[in-house]
Amino acid sequence: MKEFKKLLEQNDFSKDDILSLLKSEGEDNALLLKRSREVADAHIGQKVFLRGLIEYSNICSKNCFYCGIRKGNKAQTRYVMEDEEVLDCTRFAYEKSYGSIVIQTGERADKAFTDKIEHLIRQIKELSHGELGITLSLGEQTAETYQKWFDAGAHRYLLRIETSNPDLYLRYHPDDGNHRFEERLAALERIRRAGFQLGTGVMIGLPGQTLEDLANDLLFIKQLDVDMVGMGPYIEHEDTPMFGDPELILTKMERYQLSLNMLATLRLMMPNINMAATTAMQAIHPDGREEAILAGANIVMPNITPLKYRECYLLYDGKPCVDEEPARCHGCIISRIQSTGNQVGLGEWGDSRHFLAKQVYKY
Ligand code: SAH
Ligand code: SF4
């Protein structure tokens, strides 16, 4: 077994190395978390960038077994935000100097929806004089749709692979032709080809998922050479088929700790990508986002969805801030980030340095 400290100085990691990092405990684990923040500081600096999160609609054509807004959850009231509400959120983000917003929804591919998104992207760009960056998280789409949205002005896209193990993917999704692992992979390539900064990620601590699966997830992310990552703990939702799965063996706190180790390990493997401190971390631990930043994350997504919709966008149980006004969230998030000793990158897009480095290299 290699000496743990030596492992932390490497910049290339085998699966065994990754497993050692993910399994680390006590003093070794503290060293890992310290080292990952140092690597972040050295490669991307101490700024944390904000993306105001707009949960535009919870209507979804899919039925992922883990998700609270899956089509089959008949207990869920459905909504789509009015255009004016989206623009109000955008105005709020712009006035507060958030560099960017994220539009996230359930997955829909009908023309009315894709045209509406295109229209909203153009309006957001106009309203902010081109200043707000736009990230999309709208699921699998055709090459034409991705291109249409990119050409309208969005420039980053997040599509989690959820798990890089095709057998597990099949276990967490219905085998109905509408949830295919190969199709998700192909969609990731289409996103990149359209010109977007590409983001992916996985859920951590899923039933039946091993530590080796998670090590493979990190190797997958590295090999895909993504620009951004959003990954966090799996959290049950009581109205989903996966609720009560006997193979869910990790406690929430174990999933949380494993998520910190995943973030820290990935930061060592990919020093200059953007990495989110996800809301799911905060759902388990009140200081979850701060601890994720301390483990090397550099992106926070304050929820700016109007309060009246928040209760309807519960992907998992115990989602935090469902009754917090965006204005209150704002002060809270700024002081939380500052409490980590990092600065808030106000008024900046905070694009992925990994992406930008590749652009320079290309020309
Ligand atoms: N419909 C889009 C975007 C919304 S869902 C899509 O699926 O890509 C965004 C993310 O929420 C998913 O990628 C998934 O990783 C996460 N998510 C869904 N249910 C979850 C749960 N129960 N626990 C943790 N994360 C969950
Ligand atoms: Fe729909 Fe996304 Fe939830 Fe799957 S994870 S059910 S695609 S919102």
Side-chain angles (χ1 to χ4, degrees):
M1 181 97 139
K2 283 181 204 165
E3 200 196 321
F4 196 78
K5 274 190 189 155
K6 288 224 177 88
L7 196 54
L8 297 177
E9 301 303 322
Q10 292 177 197
N11 47 30
D12 198 21
F13 298 86
S14 68
K15 197 194 289 186
D16 279 345
D17 295 339
I18 295 171
L19 284 168
S20 300
L21 295 170
L22 293 181
K23 278 186 211 155
S24 64
E25 288 177 348
E27 219 172 280
D28 282 351
N29 186 250
L31 287 174
L32 165 65
L33 298 177
K34 184 165 170 280
R35 176 72 189 144
S36 58
R37 188 61 243 175
E38 283 167 7
V39 169
D41 291 351
H43 289 264
I44 55 171
Q46 291 201 309
K47 275 193 190 161
V48 173
F49 298 101
L50 302 178
R51 322 274 186 237
L53 174 64
I54 303 174
E55 295 159 337
Y56 171 60
S57 168
N58 67 354
I59 298 176
C60 189
S61 59
K62 288 199 155 175
N63 250 326
C64 309
F65 290 145
Y66 41 83
C67 176
I69 64 169
R70 63 197 297 274
K71 182 182 176 188
N73 181 6
K74 302 293 178 211
Q76 184 64 71
T77 313
R78 303 288 164 171
Y79 73 89
V80 183
M81 282 170 64
E82 300 292 335
D83 290 10
E84 208 35 60
E85 290 173 323
V86 174
L87 297 181
D88 283 347
C89 290
T90 305
R91 235 171 257 121
F92 173 84
Y94 183 58
E95 280 161 13
K96 295 287 182 197
S97 296
Y98 290 6
S100 306
I101 54 131
V102 181
I103 307 176
Q104 193 182 76
T105 62
E107 188 173 307
R108 271 176 68 184
D110 52 282
K111 189 161 183 320
F113 175 78
T114 65
D115 282 353
K116 171 64 84 182
I117 295 290
E118 180 189 11
H119 177 69
L120 286 170
I121 293 168
R122 290 190 191 283
Q123 283 193 299
I124 291 165
K125 280 287 170 190
E126 197 179 309
L127 180 150
S128 67
H129 316 289
E131 286 175 31
L132 276 175
I134 303 177
T135 303
L136 302 178
S137 173
L138 310 172
E140 293 165 34
Q141 304 287 342
T142 63
E144 292 70 34
T145 298
Y146 286 137
Q147 199 62 59
K148 170 163 97 171
W149 292 343
F150 181 78
D151 292 345
H155 77 292
R156 309 184 198 104
Y157 204 105
L158 185 63
L159 183 78
R160 290 183 175 183
I161 190 70
E162 314 296 2
T163 169
S164 66
N165 177 338
D167 294 334
L168 288 182
Y169 194 89
L170 202 57
R171 174 184 172 157
Y172 308 138
H173 299 91
D175 189 10
D176 60 358
N178 200 20
H179 301 74
R180 291 181 48 240
F181 181 76
E182 296 71 25
E183 184 45 41
R184 200 131 181 114
L185 278 182
L188 284 164
E189 286 308 330
R190 291 198 290 273
I191 293 167
R192 195 198 311 265
R193 267 203 306 277
F196 287 102
Q197 292 176 38
L198 177 64
T200 195
V202 294
M203 283 179 286
I204 298 160
L206 288 153
Q209 187 185 45
T210 63
L211 217 51
E212 189 168 353
D213 288 319
L214 290 170
N216 284 334
D217 286 345
L218 295 182
L219 288 166
F220 168 89
I221 290 170
K222 167 98 182 161
Q223 204 202 341
L224 194 62
D225 197 28
V226 295
D227 309 300
M228 330 180 289
V229 166
M231 60 180 172
Y234 161 67
I235 304 175
E236 317 81 302
H237 186 296
E238 64 175 347
D239 297 324
T240 60
M242 257 161 72
F243 189 75
D245 190 320
E247 282 197 56
L248 178 65
I249 46 171
L250 297 182
T251 63
K252 275 193 189 161
M253 270 318 282
E254 286 167 337
R255 281 173 259 162
Y256 175 82
Q257 181 60 49
L258 199 47
S259 301
L260 286 178
N261 295 356
M262 286 281 283
L263 289 170
T265 303
L266 188 63
R267 178 53 80 203
L268 302 191
M269 295 168 69
M270 301 185 81
N272 62 354
I273 57 168
N274 276 352
M275 221 162 55
T278 57
T279 312
M281 294 294 282
Q282 199 196 350
I284 296 183
H285 191 299
D287 298 333
R289 288 188 292 190
E290 292 89 306
E291 293 200 348
I293 293 169
L294 290 170
N298 69 324
I299 302 291
V300 169
M301 302 194 284
N303 196 336
I304 56 171
T305 311
L307 271 193
K308 64 175 176 181
Y309 298 122
R310 300 263 183 109
E311 287 285 355
C312 298
Y313 201 89
L314 300 182
L315 306 176
Y316 45 80
D317 292 334
K319 196 170 155 205
C321 305
V322 282
D323 54 1
E324 288 272 304
E325 282 289 356
R328 279 196 54 177
C329 279
H330 177 71
C332 166
I333 203 76
I334 300 280
S335 56
R336 277 171 179 270
I337 292 170
Q338 286 168 343
S339 77
T340 65
N342 291 276
Q343 302 147 22
V344 187
L346 289 174
E348 295 180 55
W349 280 7
D351 276 331
S352 164
R353 297 246 184 128
H354 189 75
F355 179 83
L356 298 175
K358 281 188 285 188
Q359 302 311 297
V360 172
Y361 185 66
K362 250 200 227 165
Y363 297 109

